[in-house]
Amino acid sequence: MNGVAQRLALALEPFLRGPIPVRLVAWDGSATGPADGSVPTVELRSPDAVRRLLWHPGELGAAQAYVTGELDVPEVDGWDLDKALTHAFAVARERGLSGVRPSPRALVEA
């Protein structure tokens, strides 16, 4: 579990109250999550994407990373950005994550 994608997925599990609900592909070529098309793929193309997501958790950081091209949701296996966002919000609702923001201490520990 040396790749960036695996390390990020492991660090995110406590915040997401379970496994990441996407296929995560990182800038180092590592990937984690289902590869069968059952979930959307999220590509982190730069470490700056993680920085943006940490400094502005939630929609703002994700939007900034997406607009700058550091994060992408490629249209594969029938998934597009709209379907991926709908999926993410459904998982957040299922897991009771709405409005939950990690504390600075929790971020440091991760």
Side-chain angles (χ1 to χ4, degrees):
M1 199 182 264
N2 295 329
V4 170
Q6 294 87 359
R7 291 171 53 202
L8 285 172
L10 186 62
L12 288 172
E13 277 190 17
F15 302 108
L16 298 175
R17 297 181 186 158
I20 61 169
V22 298
R23 172 120 178 112
L24 184 63
V25 179
W27 61 89
D28 68 343
S30 63
T32 190
D36 61 3
S38 62
V39 296
T41 297
V42 174
E43 295 178 355
L44 299 177
R45 295 180 173 170
S46 163
D48 290 334
V50 175
R51 180 183 51 80
R52 289 184 194 282
L53 293 166
L54 287 172
W55 283 108
H56 301 285
E59 296 88 1
L60 179 59
Q64 289 174 337
Y66 181 79
V67 169
T68 60
E70 299 159 355
L71 178 149
D72 192 26
V73 180
E75 293 187 18
V76 293
D77 296 321
W79 291 98
D80 60 18
L81 181 59
D82 181 49
K83 289 179 183 175
L85 288 172
T86 300
H87 173 73
F89 288 128
V91 169
R93 226 179 359 267
E94 275 177 21
R95 296 182 184 180
L97 300 176
S98 297
V100 174
R101 297 279 188 218
S103 69
R105 180 183 189 120
L107 290 173
V108 168
E109 288 175 1

